[in-house]
Amino acid sequence: GIQVEQSPPDLILQEGANSTLRCNFSDSVNNLQWFHQNPWGQLINLFYIPSGTKQNGRLSATTVATERYSLLYISSSQTTDSGVYFCAVVSMEGASKLTFGTGTRLQVTL
Amino acid sequence: DVKVTQSSRYLVKRTGEKVFLECVQDMDHENMFWYRQDPGLGLRLIYFSYDVKMKEKGDIPEGYSVSREKKERFSLILESASTNQTSMYLCASRIGGGLGTEAFFGQGTRLTVV
């Protein structure tokens, strides 16, 4: 099946810093989502972005489907950005199955 | 807004009990999913359902069954709970009829089997 790798696995930032999280996938996809898992465990939708670029406030994401990667940018980070960020994909042969990466754990300090 | 609601945030059950985890969505989505999340193992798919009364095994179906009698409700059943089923369980739903649609998750259920 499709493999999804995220980097870095862990990231510590000072408040106000910018960061880039990466998601690489091993096969063609027609669905890619970025999620933020809050401290209570809920997965919050950030972006649905199978291709192209989207922005939402301080967050933006770019997916280059032909090169099989996606990037999540966080600018001017805040302590509330802390948590785990997941990338999840559905491969072209995935039969609706959403496959998750292993996540990037972000800690934003004062 | 899409709302996916799981019946419990926290649950403690005894070994051998039959456990029901309920998930309800309010957006008439065809597809529904159950995942479990464990440290070091990430999120793994247990079962999914394309539509009412239709189900398919995911990556780790052993020890679980599911029920989808109504479109809005997808139940995960632990026939005889064991301690290795202690985990975070997450339900999701999305529109069917194609692969490229956005999935939405419930708040999660932390199950402890003692």
Side-chain angles (χ1 to χ4, degrees):
Chain A
I2 192 168
Q3 303 298 313
V4 184
E5 294 182 356
Q6 290 186 243
S7 60
D10 296 282
L11 188 58
I12 300 175
L13 298 174
Q14 269 201 319
E15 199 171 41
N18 303 328
S19 61
T20 301
L21 282 57
R22 187 177 179 101
C23 172
N24 292 332
F25 40 95
S26 62
D27 204 352
S28 300
V29 300
N30 58 17
N31 180 335
L32 188 145
Q33 291 184 243
W34 283 97
F35 296 93
H36 175 213
Q37 189 167 39
N38 66 22
W40 297 272
Q42 183 160 11
L43 287 169
I44 308 298
N45 289 39
L46 296 178
F47 293 101
Y48 168 69
I49 186 167
S51 64
T53 297
K54 290 186 177 180
Q55 180 154 7
N56 184 3
R58 297 182 294 103
L59 272 59
S60 63
T62 295
T63 297
V64 184
T66 53
E67 296 186 22
R68 299 183 183 172
Y69 73 89
S70 183
L71 302 174
L72 177 69
Y73 306 96
I74 304 174
S75 64
S76 304
S77 57
Q78 300 176 358
T79 55
T80 52
D81 295 331
S82 297
V84 183
Y85 290 79
F86 288 101
C87 163
V89 304
V90 175
S91 73
M92 292 290 187
E93 302 175 353
S96 292
K97 174 184 169 181
L98 200 64
T99 300
F100 281 79
T102 49
T104 293
R105 183 174 299 276
L106 173 65
Q107 183 180 351
V108 181
T109 62
L110 291 171
Chain B
D1 280 353
V2 174
K3 189 158 187 182
V4 181
T5 303
Q6 295 181 228
S7 53
S8 304
R9 290 293 297 271
Y10 300 94
L11 211 51
V12 180
K13 295 292 182 181
R14 294 193 181 277
T15 301
E17 275 193 75
K18 190 168 186 176
V19 181
F20 293 85
L21 302 184
E22 306 286 346
C23 176
V24 177
Q25 50 94 4
D26 66 356
M27 286 301 290
D28 203 37
H29 286 173
E30 287 82 9
N31 297 167
M32 295 189 75
F33 307 82
W34 275 106
Y35 287 83
R36 66 177 280 178
Q37 183 178 19
D38 301 287
L41 297 175
L43 280 91
R44 295 177 291 166
L45 181 65
I46 305 172
Y47 267 98
F48 62 103
S49 169
Y50 288 113
D51 210 328
V52 177
K53 296 190 186 294
M54 299 180 72
K55 60 187 179 184
E56 285 215 12
K57 294 179 180 179
D59 298 321
I60 51 164
E62 297 78 18
Y64 303 94
S65 62
V66 290
S67 172
R68 187 131 181 240
E69 296 297 317
K70 294 185 177 182
K71 195 171 189 179
E72 67 270 19
R73 186 181 297 271
F74 191 34
S75 303
L76 180 69
I77 304 158
L78 286 65
E79 297 290 344
S80 178
S82 64
T83 54
N84 63 13
Q85 292 178 310
T86 292
S87 187
M88 174 69 148
Y89 291 86
L90 292 155
C91 172
S93 76
R94 60 186 236 188
I95 297 169
L99 302 180
T101 61
E102 188 174 4
F104 297 86
F105 280 81
Q107 76 275 33
T109 297
R110 292 191 185 273
L111 172 66
T112 302
V113 182
V114 298

